[in-house]
Amino acid sequence: MRNIGKFTIPKLFVGTIIIALLVIVYASCTFEVDDISIDTDELSNFNTNWYYTNQGNRVFIPTTPTSVKVPNKEKLIIHKQLPTHLTQDEVLCVKTNHQSLEAYIDDTLVYGHGLNNKASFGKQFGTIWNFIEIPKESAGQLVTLQLDKPYNQSKELISDIKIGRKSAAIFFMLKKNYHLLFSFFFTFQLGVLFIVYSWILKNRHVDFNRKSFLYVGIFSLLSAIWMITDANILQLFTGNIIVIYFLSFFSFMLLPIPFLLYLKENTKHGKKLLDYLCLLFIASFLINIGLYICNVLDLIQSVVMTHILLIITLILIFYICFKEALTYKNKDMREIIWGLLSLFILAVMAITNFYVKISTDNSLFFQYGVGIFILLLAINTIKKSIALLNKRTEAEIYKELAYTDTMTKLSNRAAFEKEMTHLEENIQNYQSIGCIVIDLNYLKKANDTYGHKEGDKLIVGLADCLRAACQHRVPCYRIGGDEFAIILTNKSEAEIQQILNQIEEKVANQNKSNFIPIDYAWGYTIEIIKTSKEVSVYTIFNEADTNMYTQKMSMRKGRK
C-alpha cells in the first residue's frame, strides 16, 4: 500500500478501460454468435425510365434528380409502370421542392399535396418527402405524377424517387439525415449551455465575456432550428407544413444578427458598420414578411435578398476582421477569420447549388459551414473568457496583496482607510458603528532585549488571537507597527464586549506556551446612528484610540 502513489486511481482506471476495449475487439473478431440485427429493408431506386409527353411524343428521362423545361402555367406530368410484384405497405417516396403534387394510379387520384391549401397569404408548399401509398393490387399499373410550379420558373425540378415499405422509407429519412440530427443536438445543446452560462454570469454580476456567450448561444439555437427544419425530419412529428416552413425561413433570415452582435463585442473598430448591417438584416426580414403577407413574393422567392445581403456581409466582415488582426493586432480574430473563411466558401457553394439546382440538398454545404463556424466561435469565446479570468484572478491577487499585511495576513492600513471612507459616505445606512483599537505593549522592549524576531512573533501572535476571536465575522486591520483596529457595524455593546472577552481568552491560552507573553491595551467606542445627528466614523475611531491610550497609561501606572 505504500507504493500506491506510483499507480494512482486515474491511471488504473485508464488501464482498465484499455483492457475492456481489447477484450471487446478480440471477442468481436473471434466469437461466433447469432445475428440479432434488425432487418430494416431497403428502399429501391425508382428514378429511371420515367417519361413525359411533348407534342404527342414520349420523352424519356434517363434518371432523376433532374430538371425538365416546362412552358409557363403548365404542369409537368411524368409516367412510369409500377413493378409487377408489390408487397403490402409499400410507398412511393417523392421529394417536392416548393411544388404541389398529384399522384394517380391508372387515372385514379391516390395522393395530393398542396391541392387544398387555404391561407390568407402565400402558397406554403415547402420542401417535403411525399409518401404515396401503393395498394398491393396495383402491381404493373401505370403511375402518374403531376408536379406544378407555382412560381413560374422555366424549369421543373424532379427529385430522387424511391419505392419500398413505409418503415424502410422512415428509416431512409433518418439515415439520410443522421449527420444533421447529430449537428442539431450538438448545436442546440451548445446554444442552451452558453445562454444559461451567460444568465449565471449576469446573476452573479460577473462579466467574463458574458454577452459573447449570449450571442454565440442565440446564434447556435437559430442554427439548430434551421438545420432541423431543413432536414425534413420534423414532418415525422407534425403534419403542419407551415410551422416547419416559417421556422426554416425565419431562423435563416435572422441568423446573421447574433453573430454581428458577437463580432461587435470582440472588435475595437468597425462597430458602427456592424450596427448598420444588423439594421439591414432586420429591415430585410421585415420587407420579406411584408411582401409575403401582401402576396407579392413568396418567401422562397424573396430569400434572394437575404442571400445577396449575406454575401456582402461576409465580405465586409472579412475586411473588419483582417483590419482588426493586422492593423490593431487583435489576436482574438484568428479563429473568427478561419471560421469566416470556411463559412464563406461553403455558403457560396450552397447558394450556387440553390440557384443552379446541382442537387436537391440546397443547404447541405451551408450547414457544414455553420457547424464549423459555431465550433470555432465557441473555441474563441472560451479562450478569451479563460484569458479574462486569468487577468481578473491576477488582478484580484495584486489587489489582495495591496490590501493585506504581509506579516500578519490581516487587512492593512490601506484597506482600513478604504473601509473608513466607504462607511463615512454611507453612514446613514447603518444602525450602529463601533470601533475597537488594540495596541501591543512592550514591543520595543522585546525587540531591544530579545531581537526583532521575537517582537514579530508577538505581533503575529496577537493578530492570530484577533482573527480567531472575530471568526471572520468582522474585519480586523493592522494599522501600524503594533496597533490594530476592529470595525463593527450593526453590533450592540454586548456583542462588542463578547469579542473583547474572546480576545482575552485567546491571548491567555496562547501565553501558556509563549516565551514572551502577549500584553496589550484596548479601547472601544460605539455610536448609534440617528438621521437627526451628524456622526463621523473618524470621530468614532479617534474616541476608541483615545480610550485605548487612557487604558494603556492606567496599566503602566498600576504596574509602577
Side-chain angles (χ1 to χ4, degrees):
M1 291 299 291
R2 291 181 179 179
N3 295 325
I4 191 70
K6 297 180 181 179
F7 304 100
T8 60
I9 299 299
K11 290 179 181 178
L12 287 171
F13 180 61
V14 171
T16 305
I17 291 175
I18 293 172
I19 292 171
L21 290 174
L22 290 173
V23 172
I24 292 170
V25 171
Y26 175 77
S28 64
C29 295
T30 58
F31 288 20
E32 293 183 7
V33 294
D34 295 329
D35 187 1
I36 60 169
S37 59
I38 300 173
D39 185 10
T40 57
D41 295 335
E42 288 287 338
L43 283 179
S44 302
N45 288 326
F46 202 63
N47 50 11
T48 58
N49 295 322
W50 286 87
Y51 67 89
Y52 62 95
T53 304
N54 185 14
Q55 297 180 351
N57 298 318
R58 287 187 178 184
V59 180
F60 282 89
I61 301 168
T63 188
T64 61
T66 188
S67 295
V68 177
K69 203 165 188 178
V70 179
N72 287 340
K73 298 182 180 180
E74 288 190 16
K75 297 180 179 180
L76 173 63
I77 303 173
I78 58 175
H79 314 273
K80 184 177 176 177
Q81 215 69 31
L82 287 170
T84 55
H85 177 71
L86 293 173
T87 60
Q88 199 68 28
D89 192 34
E90 290 218 23
V91 293
L92 193 65
C93 303
V94 183
K95 189 177 183 181
T96 53
N97 294 274
H98 306 282
Q99 302 159 301
S100 64
L101 172 67
E102 299 171 62
Y104 297 85
I105 296 178
D106 275 359
D107 298 327
T108 301
L109 180 66
V110 294
Y111 180 85
H113 164 60
L115 305 181
N116 301 312
N117 284 1
K118 293 180 181 179
S120 302
F121 41 80
K123 299 181 176 63
Q124 299 100 25
F125 292 117
T127 300
I128 68 164
W129 276 97
N130 299 270
F131 297 150
I132 305 166
E133 295 183 2
I134 305 172
K136 186 177 180 181
E137 57 272 15
S138 301
Q141 294 181 9
L142 186 70
V143 61
T144 300
L145 303 179
Q146 292 188 13
L147 295 164
D148 192 12
K149 49 183 191 339
Y151 307 118
N152 294 323
Q153 63 263 35
S154 60
K155 290 184 178 181
E156 195 71 69
L157 178 66
I158 308 173
S159 298
D160 202 11
I161 303 175
K162 295 184 178 292
I163 192 170
R165 293 173 65 86
K166 195 169 186 177
S167 58
I170 295 172
F171 183 75
F172 164 77
M173 282 186 64
L174 294 172
K175 187 177 179 181
K176 182 179 176 64
N177 295 290
Y178 75 91
H179 57 290
L180 288 179
L181 283 172
F182 173 79
S183 298
F184 164 74
F185 285 115
F186 173 77
T187 308
F188 186 83
Q189 291 179 22
L190 191 68
V192 171
L193 178 66
F194 278 4
I195 290 174
V196 170
Y197 185 60
S198 172
W199 177 79
I200 291 171
L201 291 178
K202 182 180 179 181
N203 278 273
R204 293 189 176 182
H205 305 288
V206 178
D207 191 12
F208 289 151
N209 228 13
R210 180 183 65 81
K211 288 186 178 179
S212 293
F213 278 109
L214 176 63
Y215 296 140
V216 172
I218 296 172
F219 183 78
S220 299
L221 284 185
L222 287 175
S223 300
I225 292 170
W226 175 63
M227 286 177 187
I228 197 66
T229 54
D230 210 62
N232 304 118
I233 294 294
L234 288 184
Q235 74 175 89
L236 296 176
F237 306 97
T238 176
N240 192 344
I241 187 65
I242 191 62
V243 174
I244 305 172
Y245 184 74
F246 281 162
L247 279 174
S248 181
F249 278 97
F250 291 174
S251 58
F252 178 73
M253 287 189 284
L254 296 173
L255 192 58
I257 297 173
F259 168 67
L260 292 170
L261 293 173
Y262 169 85
L263 199 61
K264 185 181 174 183
E265 287 293 315
N266 289 272
T267 55
K268 299 176 182 177
H269 304 83
K271 294 180 183 291
K272 189 170 286 187
L273 177 57
L274 294 172
D275 282 337
Y276 287 144
L277 289 173
C278 285
L279 292 174
L280 278 174
F281 274 102
I282 293 171
S284 173
F285 175 78
L286 295 175
I287 291 170
N288 282 334
I289 296 297
L291 293 173
Y292 180 67
I293 292 174
C294 295
N295 283 312
V296 177
L297 290 174
D298 213 338
L299 292 176
I300 186 64
Q301 296 172 288
S302 61
V303 75
V304 63
M305 296 169 57
T306 307
H307 288 160
I308 293 170
L309 188 56
L310 186 62
I311 295 298
I312 294 172
T313 299
L314 285 172
I315 294 170
L316 290 174
I317 289 174
F318 264 123
Y319 168 75
I320 292 172
C321 290
F322 273 113
K323 188 174 182 180
E324 190 79 15
L326 298 177
T327 306
Y328 303 112
K329 309 299 180 184
N330 189 343
K331 296 179 181 180
D332 295 329
M333 289 292 106
R334 185 173 58 182
E335 285 85 6
I336 296 176
I337 289 172
W338 280 111
L340 279 171
L341 184 62
S342 61
L343 183 62
F344 180 80
I345 293 171
L346 292 168
V348 169
M349 292 172 66
I351 292 172
T352 302
N353 180 61
F354 179 82
Y355 291 104
V356 179
K357 306 293 184 185
I358 299 171
S359 74
T360 57
D361 293 325
N362 296 319
S363 60
L364 186 62
F365 297 118
F366 193 57
Q367 287 166 350
Y368 287 139
V370 168
I372 295 169
F373 188 52
I374 289 173
L375 188 61
L376 291 173
L377 278 188
I379 292 171
N380 177 266
T381 305
I382 292 169
K383 280 177 61 178
K384 188 173 181 181
S385 297
I386 291 172
L388 288 172
L389 178 61
N390 289 337
K391 285 183 180 179
R392 175 166 177 161
T393 304
E394 186 177 335
E396 287 178 351
I397 291 171
Y398 284 124
K399 183 178 177 181
E400 185 177 346
L401 289 173
Y403 291 109
T404 302
D405 179 62
T406 53
M407 181 187 293
T408 63
K409 301 299 183 290
L410 294 179
S411 298
N412 61 13
R413 180 82 190 196
F416 176 76
E417 293 292 349
K418 183 180 178 183
E419 181 64 14
M420 292 285 283
T421 303
H422 172 75
L423 290 174
E424 185 74 14
E425 292 173 352
N426 301 276
I427 195 166
Q428 297 300 332
N429 296 332
Y430 300 94
Q431 297 174 359
S432 67
I433 294 178
C435 183
I436 301 173
V437 177
I438 297 172
D439 190 81
L440 188 63
N441 293 328
Y442 309 118
L443 178 64
K444 185 176 184 304
K445 184 178 180 180
N447 287 333
D448 293 342
T449 307
Y450 302 106
H452 283 275
K453 188 174 181 181
E454 293 299 326
D456 290 346
K457 285 183 180 180
L458 290 175
I459 294 172
V460 173
L462 180 56
D464 290 341
C465 291
L466 297 179
R467 186 184 295 107
C470 293
Q471 297 177 350
H472 303 288
R473 292 173 298 175
V474 289
C476 302
Y477 304 88
R478 183 187 180 196
I479 58 175
D482 58 356
E483 195 170 5
F484 300 84
I486 301 171
I487 296 177
L488 306 106
T489 56
N490 300 329
K491 301 290 183 184
S492 65
E493 190 160 358
E495 288 176 298
I496 294 177
Q497 193 62 52
Q498 186 180 5
I499 291 173
L500 289 170
N501 293 338
Q502 285 286 323
I503 294 171
E504 185 178 1
E505 182 183 331
K506 301 294 180 185
V507 170
N509 288 334
Q510 193 170 127
N511 280 340
K512 291 176 182 179
S513 57
N514 278 0
F515 173 66
I516 306 173
I518 297 171
D519 192 274
Y520 67 96
W522 55 265
Y524 79 88
T525 299
I526 182 171
E527 187 73 44
I528 306 299
I529 308 301
K530 296 178 180 179
T531 55
S532 59
K533 180 182 177 182
E534 288 190 9
V535 182
S536 171
V537 292
Y538 296 102
T539 302
I540 296 171
F541 168 73
N542 289 334
E543 288 181 5
D545 195 45
T546 300
N547 293 338
M548 182 273 296
Y549 273 105
T550 300
Q551 190 195 64
K552 195 178 188 77
M553 293 299 104
S554 176
M555 291 171 67
R556 286 183 179 179
K557 287 179 181 179
R559 286 166 183 166
K560 284 182 180 179

